[in-house]
Amino acid sequence: LKALAADMECERFLMRIGAGERIIRAMKLSFSDQHLQKQTCGALINLSFDPDNQISLFRMGAGRLVLEAMRAHPDSATIQERGCAVVWNLATNHANKLSFLNLGALHLVRLA
């Protein structure tokens, strides 16, 4: 999914067919699985450029789950980097930005 979501048209299509929900479900399977969290964060980076997707993904819980992945793997530079990129993309939306602050994202991003 990460590679398929390389442009806005594909990104929107993938969201329409349920890619966001599948990624969220996968993230919830195991926060201890570092490889899984790396891959799902990478896919979320590419899916979260589109403004409509930013809102949808955040409502699905992507913001909270990415922060949980960052908390679960503080020593993984890849998860920290990808997590920050997802936060950046999702926080482009003002409402998401305020919600991230309430979730403690600022502290995690500073630690990353």
Side-chain angles (χ1 to χ4, degrees), residues 61-86:
R64 181 183 54 78
L65 293 170
V66 166
L67 296 177
E68 286 300 319
M70 292 173 72
R71 285 185 189 101
H73 302 283
D75 297 327
S76 170
T78 303
I79 291 176
Q80 297 302 310
E81 179 183 358
R82 290 179 180 181
C84 285
V86 175

